[in-house]
Amino acid sequence: MSSLSGDELEIIVICILGAAIGLYLFCTGFRELKVKRTIQNTPTSKINTGAVGTNVEVKGRVIAEKDKLVRGPISGKPCAIYHIEIQKWDKDGEADSRPSSISFDPLKKHTWRRGRWVTIGSYFSDDGFYIDDDSGANAMVLVEGAKVHRDGDTVNYECSSHQFSGMDAELYQSLKKSRKKIGSFKLKDTTYLFSKDYHFREWCFVPGEELYVLGYASSNLKALRPKKPGARFFVEAKKMIRKNKDLQNKLDSNRDGKLDYYELERGAQLLAKKLATKYSEKKLEELASKTKMVFKKEYNYPFVISNRHEEDLVSHVGKMAALKIWGGPALVIGCTIYFFTSFFH
């Protein structure tokens, strides 16, 4: 039996990978279809009357304290919580389900390049937030594992991996703080030769914004207690102050144009407290007394957060389901035909 050539091995790998992706798309398409039907079949409830222990759908406004807002690391926009999505440029496009595209890249000497942006990770700025629908009760939304569907523009930032240490300071600190949440992404400079292009997308959830939440509603009413700022927050606060001229000016109490040791220490302590907590202790006690349900990710239950109208959300999820259910088998068939025509023509 003769050994396979390099080109033949490449064809086999491509066909196996393509077929596996097609099967994955087919299976996830049915999950998307299940989410669509769940949205359609679950009536919108008021928080104070929703039945805990099952799927619940509510609409409510984001609760936030004005002096506890965070800043979007890319936009600088004050918000209750932000969501960052990390994408990597894939010039081959084998790992993504979207159609291949040809993109004009001004960073690459004004040339056209073939490929696509592939999402490799995402994270929220903290554990979650509260929503209120004027029913006399509120709900806690623990965002880990939620599928986010948003209307409105994102704020974007692009950077190559050999330039990570020189990226915007606030985004760098945000990524560093959340490094355990973002999977395979590594915030580490590479050499120029092995550099990869990355795209960071930011969504902000602003105070008072109306959100649609669908998910498993638990009756576990443990409030988010304020965290005591530890050494990690203190070190991060110092780094942020040293890199941010606006913060330095605010903390320069004697107005001599520079921060002395005591001004830096005092400022770092104040900033560390702000980094460590989202709601004041008084506000948390008030919210806990009115909390009827807690939304969180549960196995085999959809978990969706969206600012879209329900009809638009159903349409979007339905299109994605149809694309995967029909596109997956088409990809498997295409890879199978390519395999046989390559070896048995």
Side-chain angles (χ1 to χ4, degrees):
M1 181 178 178
S2 60
S3 59
L4 296 172
S5 67
D7 288 343
E8 289 172 331
L9 284 173
E10 184 178 351
I11 290 172
I12 292 173
V13 170
I14 290 174
C15 290
I16 292 174
L17 182 60
I21 292 173
L23 289 172
Y24 172 77
L25 292 175
F26 182 68
C27 294
T28 56
F30 280 101
R31 285 209 297 265
E32 296 274 1
L33 186 62
K34 181 181 177 181
V35 171
K36 175 191 172 184
R37 289 173 177 169
T38 302
I39 295 172
Q40 289 176 313
N41 297 332
T42 306
T44 303
S45 303
K46 289 293 184 180
I47 294 174
N48 68 338
T49 58
V52 297
T54 186
N55 275 325
V56 177
E57 172 185 304
V58 299
K59 288 182 181 178
R61 294 179 301 278
V62 177
I63 303 172
E65 292 182 279
K66 290 183 178 180
D67 61 342
K68 297 292 182 180
L69 300 180
V70 296
R71 282 161 49 96
I74 301 176
S75 66
K77 182 179 180 179
C79 55
I81 189 172
Y82 60 79
H83 180 231
I84 298 291
E85 183 179 79
I86 305 168
Q87 297 180 321
K88 182 171 72 172
W89 182 258
D90 178 15
K91 62 183 178 181
D92 298 319
E94 294 176 353
D96 195 8
S97 61
R98 289 170 290 179
S100 181
S101 61
I102 300 176
S103 174
F104 180 70
D105 181 13
L107 301 179
K108 299 293 182 181
K109 298 181 181 179
H110 302 284
T111 57
W112 293 86
R113 58 176 184 168
R114 181 178 294 276
R116 59 174 66 85
W117 289 109
V118 180
T119 300
I120 60 170
S122 64
Y123 66 93
F124 292 90
S125 56
D126 55 57
D127 296 332
F129 52 88
Y130 286 89
I131 58 173
D132 180 22
D133 65 354
D134 296 326
S135 66
N138 58 52
M140 183 195 297
V141 183
L142 300 178
V143 293
E144 183 66 30
K147 184 73 173 178
V148 179
H149 297 278
R150 283 191 63 87
D151 279 333
D153 295 333
T154 59
V155 183
N156 306 305
Y157 183 91
E158 289 188 19
C159 184
S160 298
S161 58
H162 70 282
Q163 299 172 321
F164 279 160
S165 59
M167 72 161 53
D168 180 82
E170 290 200 28
L171 177 58
Y172 186 90
Q173 290 300 326
S174 175
L175 291 165
K176 186 176 179 181
K177 178 183 174 183
S178 304
R179 58 187 178 274
K180 293 182 180 180
K181 302 178 183 178
I182 48 183
S184 62
F185 175 74
K186 303 298 181 185
L187 189 63
K188 184 178 180 181
D189 279 359
T190 63
T191 62
Y192 180 82
L193 184 62
F194 295 100
S195 184
K196 301 289 185 181
D197 294 330
Y198 288 87
H199 185 197
F200 304 92
R201 306 173 69 197
E202 172 196 294
W203 288 275
C204 282
F205 296 87
V206 299
E209 179 179 10
E210 187 171 74
L211 295 179
Y212 165 96
V213 181
L214 169 70
Y216 180 85
S218 168
S219 60
N220 181 9
L221 302 182
K222 293 181 180 178
L224 298 171
R225 296 299 177 190
K227 302 174 184 176
K228 293 183 179 180
R232 178 171 66 87
F233 289 103
F234 189 71
V235 171
E236 287 182 7
K238 275 190 173 182
K239 289 180 180 178
M240 288 179 67
I241 292 170
R242 290 192 177 107
K243 292 183 177 182
N244 192 310
K245 291 292 184 183
D246 291 335
L247 277 176
Q248 292 172 23
N249 292 333
K250 290 179 181 178
L251 298 172
D252 182 14
S253 56
N254 60 10
R255 301 302 175 192
D256 63 352
K258 60 181 180 180
L259 288 183
D260 59 32
Y261 173 82
Y262 297 103
E263 288 171 335
L264 177 60
E265 292 293 306
R266 184 167 59 252
Q269 289 175 359
L270 293 172
L271 187 56
K273 289 181 180 178
K274 192 169 185 179
L275 288 171
T277 185
K278 182 178 182 62
Y279 297 101
S280 65
E281 188 170 3
K282 181 180 179 181
K283 186 66 174 179
L284 278 176
E285 290 176 358
E286 175 191 333
L287 290 169
S289 66
K290 295 175 59 180
T291 300
K292 168 69 184 296
M293 60 184 65
V294 179
F295 287 95
K296 59 182 180 179
K297 181 63 178 176
E298 287 287 340
Y299 177 72
N300 213 29
Y301 285 88
F303 188 18
V304 177
I305 300 173
S306 177
N307 67 350
R308 291 176 172 171
H309 292 293
E310 184 173 343
E311 296 79 9
D312 295 337
L313 181 60
V314 168
S315 174
H316 172 76
V317 175
K319 288 177 182 177
M320 291 301 298
L323 179 63
K324 292 179 178 181
I325 290 172
W326 292 102
L331 183 58
V332 173
I333 294 170
C335 289
T336 303
I337 293 173
Y338 179 62
F339 174 81
F340 280 103
T341 55
S342 296
F343 286 93
F344 303 101
H345 59 279

